Amino acid sequence: MPKIRQSVFVHSPSGMDLAGLAGLFVAVPAVAYLGRSGRRHTGAARRAHLLLALGGAIVTAAALAGLVTALISGHTATEGHHKALATAVAVGTGLGTLILLAGTVALPGSARSPGAAVRHVLDGLVIAASLWFVGWVLISRPTRILGDATPDRCLAILLPAVLLVIALGLTAVMGLHAHRPRRHTVRVAAGVTVVAAAANLLAIGICRDNDGFTLVSGLLLTGGLVLVAWAVRAADRPVMVSGDVLERGPAYSVVPMLAVIAALGYHIVQGGSLDVLGYLGAAVECLAVVARQYLALEDVRSYTLRLRESEAHFRELAHTDPLTGLANRRGLQEALRSSVERTALIGIDLDGFKSVNDLRGHDVGDAVLAEVGARLRRNLLAGDVAARLGGDEFAVLMRGDADEAVLAAHRLLAVLGEPYEVDGGSIFLSASLGVAATGALLHDADLALRYAKQRGKNRVEKYQAKYDELLRRRGILTGELRHAIDRGQLHLVFQPVVALPSMRPVGAEALLRWTHPELGKVAPLEFIPVAEESGLINRIGAWVLEESCRQLAEWRAKGHDVWLSVNLSPKELHDADYAGRVADVLEEYGVPPQRLVLEVTEHAVATDMEELVRRLAEVRATGVRIALDDFGAGYSSLTQLRTLPVDILKIDHALVAEPESRTGTAAPLVDVVVRLGHRLGLEVLAEGIGTPAQREVVEEAGCRLGQGSLFGWGVPAEHFESRLLSSRPSPRPAPEPRTTPRSDAPARSQVVRLGPGMRQVRALLPSDPDFAAVTRDQNVGSVDSGREMGQG
């Protein structure tokens, strides 16, 4: 017993041992914080934090147990006792360090998947094996860099030493490949590395009975766990994933392998030999590199497969219309390039589809387009390709010649003309189709489609070679028309408007003519559509209006009291300031507004009734008169005619040239229009009168104004002025006695003024005393007052 008491007294702990023990107790709060953090988090962060807490607890417990045991046993313990204790401490701290490494790999942001975590571990092993081998070369013979301090008799340090190099390698990998922000993950890995170094030093200190190593190990272990606890606070924050395997550089495998080769070469040159530890490091290095490269090849293969699938998917998207599922323009062009058989192309455009979007909304419009695509698919034959080129334009590429394509186009015309059932009712649309079977199919089919639209829509048009010439000429006309005003190539001619039956000129219509030095005379039917399509019509219309008012002012200054009509394009009316521009021009040239008549076609009014009525009312408020041109050729209803702010109806020449009725000499439609116009308080003007018979038809219907080739074509201003001079009325002779008309003469119509703004048409029989009087000039002043017309 006295001997035992003496042993206890000799083994009293030193100050360094107590400092190391106290430092280990500081690690306990850090471990407790990791446990609380794990319970506070969820998912992957919870598992990672609990692993870190468990690993930290095992390391701390093993270190405390080993250090306390070493302090109790004292310095007099045998060497075998120290080695056994160091082995136990090394196993305990090694197990805890291994769990800490697992928790580091499991942290959110360290790897995007379990497979990526395995790859990180292999990358860490590559670096760790390199560090192990280089370290073995340095501490083994003949280099023996640590000299007598080399712990070659403490095999227990091998486990913590292995985990130390693995921790170093894993920290390097986290610094290279962890998701951003990487600093939190790298701090955790660095803390684990410090813990592994502390475990290694503790095992060496116990094995060699070195108080300095013990003190340092206690401080390092505490510092490492505190660093881990501080870093995990941000471990569950959002990270930026960057998972492209091809972005990884090869340095993590190439540099360690080169280091192993260099160390091995140095070791052999120095006369060293390869023992078990060196062989183990080299073998692990080679196996880790091979395994990593195998996984890298698998990554590349998998990435290549995904890339091919993505490429195929995006290629399909790039060649497919997402709304209809048909091919798009790029897909159609690809089909055209790959086609080796005789093919034809049908271009399709829906007529009036814009109004569907405007009135029913784009959702309904998209539903209609999807239904069009479905109908096209249902009517395709094997090998045919349907495509949506954009908007409401479609195309069908089919096998066959031009005749077969025309038959197919007519079939599609009927299919697309069927009603479309959508929410809210049925929608009726027609389509225009262009067919091409030779040459540049897309260009030719589009050109044929354009002419199908120009020729009335709802029809099939087959491409003809002359279309190219017409297109080229249209392009030339567009370019030349831009400079026609500046170059003085435009001029006006004036076609007389006469009073019936005397055929005395009371007004004129200004007609635009274009004479080009190279193209010659270009017909209005050719260049007016070009002007409207190119947007030049507003500038040309302004020039015509100004020239007409200038000429009218000149005639009035010479004593010719006539009126002048000017054709008006609907596009000019859409100019918000058009009415103000008309008033300014009239004021500039001093022309009374009543002497200017603006003509708008019936077809133009019917296309946009509400808007044009408002615009026409603004223009009419300036005092000018409005004429509805080509009446009878369009689709105006009686309701529209009552709504339109017009003063004059111009009967279309097609009605004037109508064959004679079996019941009389007057064409019935002309008679109806004249009576209708007079009932509505409008003046009626018949245009296109080319023969005396047509003149008689118009006169018998009661029309008092006429225009046409019978009374003269459009002539220059000076020629029209000459006619005005020659047609000035001479003093009237005394009235002749009224003759009694034939009893078999046909009845005539007469307009009777009942009051302001009120007129009535009554029939005159041959027995009526006023029957013969209507054969003379009627008062054309009924358009306005006699004073305004100059015909009173």
Side-chain angles (χ1 to χ4, degrees):
M1 291 298 292
K3 185 177 181 180
I4 295 175
R5 286 195 298 271
Q6 182 181 8
S7 175
V8 172
F9 174 76
V10 171
H11 299 135
S12 61
S14 66
M16 296 182 65
D17 292 333
L18 293 176
L21 185 62
L24 284 176
F25 280 107
V26 178
V28 175
V31 174
Y33 176 81
L34 288 172
R36 289 196 303 272
S37 177
R39 291 190 297 270
R40 190 168 59 248
H41 289 83
T42 59
R46 179 184 181 88
R47 292 191 297 270
H49 291 193
L50 290 178
L51 284 174
L52 291 173
L54 177 61
I58 293 176
V59 169
T60 303
L64 284 172
L67 187 56
V68 170
T69 303
L71 292 177
I72 293 174
S73 63
H75 298 285
T76 61
T78 62
E79 182 179 351
H81 177 75
H82 285 300
K83 288 185 178 180
L85 182 58
T87 301
V89 171
V91 171
T93 55
L95 177 61
T97 304
L98 187 62
I99 296 175
L100 285 172
L101 290 174
T104 303
V105 175
L107 278 174
S110 63
R112 70 181 186 277
S113 65
V118 173
R119 287 160 175 80
H120 287 345
V121 172
L122 285 177
D123 291 341
L125 281 178
V126 170
I127 300 174
S130 174
L131 293 174
W132 174 273
F133 190 84
V134 172
W136 169 78
V137 169
L138 293 176
I139 66 174
S140 64
R141 297 181 186 276
T143 303
R144 203 168 173 80
I145 191 173
L146 298 179
D148 294 338
T150 302
D152 48 3
R153 60 188 176 90
C154 294
L155 297 179
I157 69 169
L158 289 179
L159 179 58
V162 169
L163 293 176
L164 174 60
V165 294
I166 291 177
L168 288 171
L170 190 61
T171 301
V173 171
M174 292 301 173
L176 291 172
H177 300 311
H179 299 156
R180 296 181 179 90
R182 296 172 178 167
R183 60 182 181 274
H184 308 300
T185 307
V186 174
R187 286 169 182 167
V188 173
V192 175
T193 302
V194 173
V195 171
N200 197 49
L201 289 176
L202 181 60
I204 294 174
I206 293 174
C207 180
R208 297 179 63 87
D209 193 18
N210 189 313
D211 294 341
F213 279 17
T214 303
L215 174 61
V216 173
S217 66
L219 296 177
L220 286 179
L221 190 145
T222 301
L225 290 177
V226 170
L227 178 60
V228 171
W230 175 64
V232 297
R233 291 183 305 169
D236 60 337
R237 294 177 183 175
V239 294
M240 184 173 62
V241 178
S242 56
D244 190 354
V245 297
L246 296 183
E247 291 180 354
R248 299 175 181 173
Y252 68 90
S253 61
V254 174
V255 172
M257 198 66 185
L258 293 177
V260 169
I261 295 173
L264 180 61
Y266 169 78
H267 188 66
I268 294 175
V269 170
Q270 295 296 323
S273 61
L274 193 65
D275 60 11
V276 175
L277 296 179
Y279 176 78
L280 179 63
V284 171
E285 175 73 13
C286 293
L287 290 175
V289 169
V290 171
R292 188 62 188 89
Q293 294 307 313
Y294 173 77
L295 292 180
L297 290 176
E298 285 295 314
D299 285 342
V300 172
R301 188 180 68 85
S302 176
Y303 181 80
T304 303
L305 291 176
R306 293 197 305 270
L307 186 62
R308 289 178 179 175
E309 292 175 357
S310 299
E311 182 181 1
H313 174 68
F314 286 115
R315 183 181 295 275
E316 181 180 358
L317 290 180
H319 292 79
T320 304
D321 176 64
L323 177 62
T324 62
L326 305 178
N328 57 14
R329 183 179 293 273
R330 188 180 291 107
L332 179 62
Q333 291 173 340
E334 184 71 20
L336 285 170
R337 285 193 295 268
S338 60
S339 177
V340 295
E341 301 181 5
R342 184 178 181 83
T343 56
L345 186 65
I346 304 174
I348 305 170
D349 188 88
L350 301 179
D351 301 329
F353 178 76
K354 183 178 181 298
S355 62
V356 176
N357 282 335
D358 294 342
L359 299 177
R360 306 290 293 275
H362 288 276
D363 291 341
V364 174
D366 289 345
V368 171
L369 293 176
E371 175 61 22
V372 171
R375 294 184 185 183
L376 292 178
R377 277 195 299 270
R378 289 195 296 266
N379 288 273
L380 293 180
L381 300 177
D384 295 350
V385 177
R388 181 188 176 209
L389 305 183
D392 60 342
E393 296 183 19
F394 295 82
V396 173
L397 180 65
M398 59 169 290
R399 299 176 182 177
D401 55 20
D403 294 334
E404 293 173 338
V406 170
L407 292 177
H410 281 287
R411 183 178 70 252
L412 292 177
L413 182 66
V415 169
L416 298 177
E418 296 176 358
Y420 297 85
E421 302 297 335
V422 295
D423 295 339
S426 301
I427 292 178
F428 296 89
L429 292 174
S430 62
S432 300
L433 292 86
V435 177
T438 57
L441 295 182
L442 272 174
H443 171 271
D444 295 349
D446 183 68
L447 199 57
L449 175 60
R450 180 185 300 185
Y451 278 92
K453 280 197 166 291
Q454 290 181 358
R455 295 182 179 182
K457 305 179 181 179
N458 193 26
R459 56 183 292 139
V460 175
E461 192 72 29
K462 180 182 175 183
Y463 170 78
Q464 300 180 34
K466 67 178 182 179
Y467 290 168
D468 282 312
E469 180 60 32
L470 293 175
L471 180 63
R472 283 192 294 270
R473 180 171 174 83
R474 194 176 188 88
I476 294 173
L477 292 179
T478 301
E480 294 297 321
L481 191 58
R482 295 183 183 277
H483 310 287
I485 295 178
D486 299 333
R487 296 170 180 172
Q489 297 172 0
L490 298 181
H491 63 279
L492 297 179
V493 296
F494 303 90
Q495 186 175 25
V497 175
V498 301
L500 296 176
S502 69
M503 295 187 295
R504 183 159 45 86
V506 293
E509 179 180 359
L511 303 175
L512 182 62
R513 296 292 182 263
W514 181 19
T515 303
H516 191 273
E518 297 178 0
L519 301 176
K521 294 183 178 181
V522 185
L525 290 178
E526 187 177 11
F527 73 81
I528 293 298
V530 171
E532 292 184 343
E533 183 177 333
S534 62
L536 296 172
I537 192 65
N538 287 342
R539 184 186 176 200
I540 294 176
W543 180 86
V544 171
L545 177 64
E546 186 169 352
E547 285 294 305
S548 299
C549 290
R550 183 192 60 78
Q551 185 60 62
L552 186 57
E554 183 178 331
W555 284 337
R556 286 181 51 79
K558 296 179 179 180
H560 304 297
D561 197 5
V562 294
W563 50 272
L564 189 62
S565 65
V566 176
N567 291 285
L568 176 61
S569 169
K571 290 189 176 182
E572 293 180 81
L573 275 178
H574 283 92
D575 184 357
D577 193 40
Y578 184 76
R581 189 165 69 246
V582 170
D584 291 342
V585 173
L586 292 173
E587 183 179 1
E588 178 182 358
Y589 291 98
V591 175
Q594 298 85 356
R595 294 294 183 266
L596 180 64
V597 178
L598 298 179
E599 298 186 10
V600 61
T601 62
E602 179 189 17
H603 175 74
V605 172
T607 56
D608 195 0
M609 183 71 177
E610 183 177 353
E611 174 68 14
L612 288 181
V613 165
R614 185 172 65 86
R615 297 291 186 182
L616 286 174
E618 293 176 358
V619 175
R620 193 168 182 247
T622 63
V624 301
R625 290 176 293 161
I626 306 297
L628 185 61
D629 199 7
D630 300 333
F631 184 79
Y635 308 96
S636 292
S637 65
L638 292 179
T639 303
Q640 290 175 332
L641 192 58
R642 292 179 60 88
T643 306
L644 288 172
V646 297
D647 304 279
I648 303 174
L649 286 185
K650 296 189 70 172
I651 304 177
D652 187 72
H653 61 86
L655 298 183
V656 174
E658 183 188 2
E660 294 181 353
S661 171
R662 293 177 299 173
T663 58
T665 58
L669 290 181
V670 174
D671 187 70
V672 169
V673 172
V674 172
R675 292 174 181 267
L676 174 64
H678 288 166
R679 282 283 188 179
L680 296 176
L682 305 177
E683 187 57 77
V684 182
L685 189 156
E687 58 181 347
I689 301 175
T691 64
Q694 293 173 355
R695 188 197 70 187
E696 292 180 5
V697 167
V698 171
E699 290 179 0
E700 290 176 1
C703 185
R704 292 169 291 182
L705 296 174
Q707 182 182 355
S709 59
L710 181 64
F711 314 119
W713 296 102
V715 294
E718 56 272 16
H719 293 178
F720 182 73
E721 185 178 347
S722 299
R723 181 167 179 179
L724 291 177
L725 290 172
S726 62
S727 61
R728 280 187 174 177
S730 55
R732 295 184 179 180
E736 298 179 358
R738 180 177 299 166
T739 58
T740 303
R742 304 192 313 270
S743 60
D744 59 347
R748 302 183 187 275
S749 61
Q750 182 183 38
V751 179
V752 180
R753 187 187 298 271
L754 301 178
M758 301 177 60
R759 299 179 176 84
Q760 182 178 1
V761 179
R762 70 183 184 90
L764 292 179
L765 300 176
S767 59
D768 195 307
D770 295 330
F771 184 83
V774 300
T775 60
R776 298 190 301 272
D777 273 0
Q778 298 184 38
N779 183 14
V780 296
S782 60
V783 177
D784 247 38
S785 67
R787 177 181 58 79
E788 291 172 343
M789 292 295 297
Q791 302 294 333

